[in-house]
């Protein structure tokens, strides 16, 4: 299996490549399709050197867990992986693994795309009954977004509430922010990783330059080391061979490509990955979700009225420009945002298939599809808001307390 | 006062090594053409200040005691803002001391003790707190030691450092692997944001082939200059000034720190800097852990000391007694006299030796005998003190605890 990106193409689609014109750019700080079009995921998988997540793996997950697969697996939202089959082998043998995911707390406003990895991780935790560490990279945001330390820490705490509201099991979940947790064994692992990665290497992987400050250059090991159980002595002491599975969006792949390259050199296991495609902006695949454009996404703080308004007015429609044409040609499902969003959030496979069939044939109109979407999203957002309202500062402290988790594998 | 080094031939590691330009940075000290370090040029290049007599007198006046032998003899010969520290002290305000060591081997030699002996004096004379950093992470990264070995060396070195006689009620010793985190890490990030890769290339000579551990290290040595890095000690004292006694090869770290400090709302640390301790074989020699005869180690027996001084200490005496009586010794290159300059407390006795030896009336053997006595006593005293430093004592110095008497 090719671990590294292909040499012939621009390595790892780092920022060092020509931006967005001849080559798509996918890295943790930039996602730009070629010529303002759509992201080519086949090319991305080939470039990055990861694997397609085949149907057979999805079936295997269902068999092993005795649950239907999460909608994100069924619909191919999580579509790529590295060594996920090995994690399933481990599990099948009765051994354990742990989950690791995270967020860079750059603003208070989370949108639905931000929730995707957390919703999926909760499913994985429940289905496999394994522990989970969640990293809030407040140091990263302090460095990239030029926030003060205090503001970064505050955002981390606020984001933690939305994350907790996704329903993680407190007896199996450790949430930490870098500013609070870096030190001790975690810092030792940062140093071990840093010794194995040259400046040239991070230039190639992440596109750093000589003008970048050394904070950025030193950051990648911080996101790498939660992959190693020894970074969490209060949780995994004596379990140095515990495997790690990282659910994340595919733009995070560079961090873990680097981590997988380093791991054997420092005597550690490589983490496995399960990766999602990008959540499209309301205005369409070629649009950019942006915190500065509130109409580019549905936020977890939106009211039902906001949701209805945004979907009706801004959700890009693949429907035809007139009812006559629509009845004749049907909707273009490739570009229709409401159908794509339903693909993420409408649980019922049969209903989704029905909508796609009818809408694609022109028998269902855009208005109906949008109406259904508004219902689905309003329910989801409402449920989230209720859950979030119940998350107190004390609960955040409890999830973030450095404590053993004695029932984490039960 | 020129803060920055003069641009021509800046002595970073990126310069041609040792041929056209002397090289002085934390990982390399090489004189030009295999000669001696030119300290005047170094001060000019680095942009620090000569520590003149008047400052030494001022220290004696303010502290009410004779200045340390290292001050009297010009071992500590350069500074940045030391006069401001004395102003602060004179106003009745406080400051704290910060020094450190990269624990790269168990074997400390006398040169390693110099900054610690001087720092102890400063602590006693000014009655101020002190933080001592053991950069075990740095050594792990540069010397390719394991994390475990670096941590072990840090603890072993801590014993020698504690044996120098620091006041436990005013001293916090820490190793990076144990202490990095919290407010210290926050300050590392604040500093790192202010220093580009280009800048560290210029200051330290890093290259694109270096690993990112090295590139990320400088902030680690910078931030103990800031009181907010030690919330258990200096909470609420954000304006507390810092004085850093160190060898002048450490200047680049603190030049960088002083450049960054105002940009993140912190005070610039002051520095008081020493020249390099010469190798036994002479100024042009290199002290090296792989050559045990290049230095006197704190683990040497009196027999070792006598042997090393007699056989390896470079002598400025003439090649025959006749010539020696005629021309006298060359004090410029004589190692025993230089070593006595560091360790013989009695000014009158040192002057007498220099006069008599320089005139040829005293022979090399006598000078070396005197040196052997002085060094044996020093090393013996150190060894006795070190034997008393148990792991518990190390734990006590390294415990993260407030120091309520630190200014008392």
């Amino acid at each position: 299996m090719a671990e590294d990106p292909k040499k012939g193409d621009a390595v790892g689609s780092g920022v060092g490549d020509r931006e967005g014109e001849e080559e798509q750019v996918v890295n943790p700080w930039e996602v730009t399709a070629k010529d303002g079009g759509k992201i080519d995921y086949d090319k991305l998988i080939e470039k990055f050197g990861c694997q397609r997540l085949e149907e057979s793996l999805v079936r295997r997950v269902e068999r092993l867990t005795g649950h239907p697969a999460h909608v994100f697996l069924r619909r191919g939202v999580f579509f790529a992986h590295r060594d996920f089959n090995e994690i399933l082998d481990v599990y099948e043998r009765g051994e354990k693994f742990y989950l690791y995911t995270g967020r860079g707390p750059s603003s208070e406003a989370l949108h639905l795309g931000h929730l995707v990895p957390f919703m999926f991780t909760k499913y994985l935790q429940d289905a496999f009954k394994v522990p989970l560490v969640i990293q809030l990279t407040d140091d990263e945001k302090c460095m990239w977004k030029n926030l003060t330390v205090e503001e970064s820490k505050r955002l981390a705490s606020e984001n933690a509430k939305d994350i907790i509201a996704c329903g993680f099991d407190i007896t199996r979940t450790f949430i930490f922010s870098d500013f609070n947790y870096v030190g001790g064994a975690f810092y030792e692992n940062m140093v071990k990783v840093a010794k194995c990665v040259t400046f040239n290497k991070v230039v190639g992987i992440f596109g750093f330059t000589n003008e970048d400050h050394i904070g950025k250059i030193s950051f990648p090991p911080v996101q790498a080391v939660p992959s190693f159980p020894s970074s969490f002595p209060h949780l995994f002491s004596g379990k140095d061979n515990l495997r790690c599975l990282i659910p994340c969006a595919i733009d995070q792949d560079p961090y873990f490509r680097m981590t997988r390259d380093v791991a054997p050199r420092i005597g550690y296991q490589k983490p496995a990955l399960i990766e999602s495609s990008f959540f499209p902006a309301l205005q369409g695949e070629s649009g950019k979700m942006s915190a500065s454009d509130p109409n580019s996404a549905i936020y977890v703080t939106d009211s039902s009225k906001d949701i209805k308004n945004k979907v009706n007015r801004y959700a890009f429609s693949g429907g035809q420009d007139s009812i006559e044409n629509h009845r004749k040609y049907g909707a273009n499902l490739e570009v229709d945002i409401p159908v794509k969003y339903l693909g993420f959030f409408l649980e019922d496979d049969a209903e989704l298939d029905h909508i796609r069939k009818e809408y694609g044939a022109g028998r269902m109109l855009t208005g109906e599809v949008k109406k259904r979407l508004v219902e689905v999203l309003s329910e989801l957002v409402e449920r989230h808001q209720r859950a979030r309202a119940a998350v107190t500062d004390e609960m955040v402290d409890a999830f973030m307390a450095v404590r053993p988790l004695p029932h984490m594998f039960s």
Side-chain angles (χ1 to χ4, degrees), chain A residues 261-274:
Chain A
D261 181 60
V262 169
R265 294 157 62 192
I266 56 178
Y268 288 157
Q269 301 267 29
K270 297 182 188 187
L273 273 76
I274 182 164

Side-chain angles (χ1 to χ4, degrees), chain A residues 64-324:
Chain A
L64 286 175
T65 59
H67 284 237
H70 190 275
V71 62
F72 293 163
L73 270 178
R74 301 198 312 268
R75 310 274 170 80
V77 171
F78 278 81
F79 75 108
H81 76 99
R82 293 182 186 274
D83 288 350
F84 184 50
N85 49 310
E86 283 186 30
I87 293 292
L88 298 180
D89 292 345
V90 158
Y91 184 79
E92 198 161 26
R93 287 202 296 271
E95 289 167 34
K96 303 297 183 185
F97 66 92
Y98 74 104
L99 295 163
Y100 156 40
T101 194
R103 169 170 170 74
S106 58
S107 67
E108 287 194 67
L110 270 80
H111 55 62
L112 296 184
H114 292 137
L115 288 189
V116 164
F118 293 106
M119 293 167 75
F120 188 64
T121 302
K122 171 194 162 49
Y123 150 77
L124 289 171
Q125 179 173 65
D126 292 346
F128 289 95
K129 299 189 186 358
V130 286
L132 161 66
V133 300
I134 300 178
Q135 178 183 44
L136 292 162
T137 58
D138 43 6
D139 51 353
E140 181 209 356
K141 290 309 171 187
C142 177
M143 292 196 277
W144 260 269
K145 298 278 181 185
N146 202 25
L147 301 170
T148 63
V149 168
E150 289 63 37
E151 183 65 2
S152 309
K153 287 163 75 171
R154 192 186 70 76
L155 287 174
S157 240
E158 284 305 302
N159 282 192
K161 291 178 180 170
D162 282 287
I163 290 168
I164 290 167
C166 293
F168 294 106
D169 180 347
I170 196 175
T171 68
R172 294 186 216 270
T173 306
F174 174 57
I175 299 178
F176 64 100
S177 88
D178 290 341
F179 276 134
N180 286 338
Y181 189 67
V182 163
F186 193 96
Y187 179 63
E188 291 176 16
N189 279 341
M190 282 165 58
V191 170
K192 286 185 183 180
V193 170
K195 281 170 76 170
C196 293
V197 183
T198 62
F199 178 74
N200 277 337
K201 190 90 183 168
V202 296
V203 166
I205 296 176
F206 299 103
F208 297 148
T209 72
N210 291 29
E211 281 83 36
D212 279 320
H213 60 66
I214 57 178
K216 290 188 181 183
I217 292 157
S218 67
F219 178 75
V222 183
Q223 186 157 327
V225 306
S227 314
F228 307 132
S230 58
S231 300
F232 305 99
H234 63 290
L235 297 180
F236 304 132
S237 181
K239 296 183 170 63
D240 284 351
N241 277 327
L242 189 65
R243 293 299 299 271
C244 177
L245 172 65
I246 308 175
C248 60
I250 196 165
D251 63 342
Q252 301 297 308
D253 191 83
Y255 279 117
F256 305 115
R257 211 155 61 230
M258 177 197 80
T259 310
R260 286 170 57 92
D261 181 60
V262 169
R265 294 157 62 192
I266 56 178
Y268 288 157
Q269 301 267 29
K270 297 182 188 187
L273 273 76
I274 182 164
E275 303 168 293
S276 65
S277 56
F278 302 111
F279 193 79
L282 265 178
Q283 321 88 299
E285 295 273 10
S286 46
K288 247 189 166 77
M289 267 187 301
S290 161
S292 51
D293 179 4
N295 294 321
S296 60
I298 305 294
Y299 288 87
V300 298
T301 44
D302 284 346
S303 65
S304 301
K305 194 152 172 274
D306 293 327
I307 294 174
K308 182 169 168 180
N309 190 49
K310 285 188 187 182
V311 168
N312 285 337
R313 294 180 61 178
Y314 301 106
F316 187 83
S317 171
Q320 300 297 340
D321 44 16
S322 68
I323 294 194
E324 289 79 28

Side-chain angles (χ1 to χ4, degrees), chain A residues 346-359:
Chain A
L346 177 59
E347 295 264 355
D348 189 335
D349 289 343
E351 188 184 346
L352 180 66
D353 285 344
H354 175 77
I355 290 172
R356 292 173 64 105
K357 186 159 163 239
E358 297 299 294
Y359 188 46

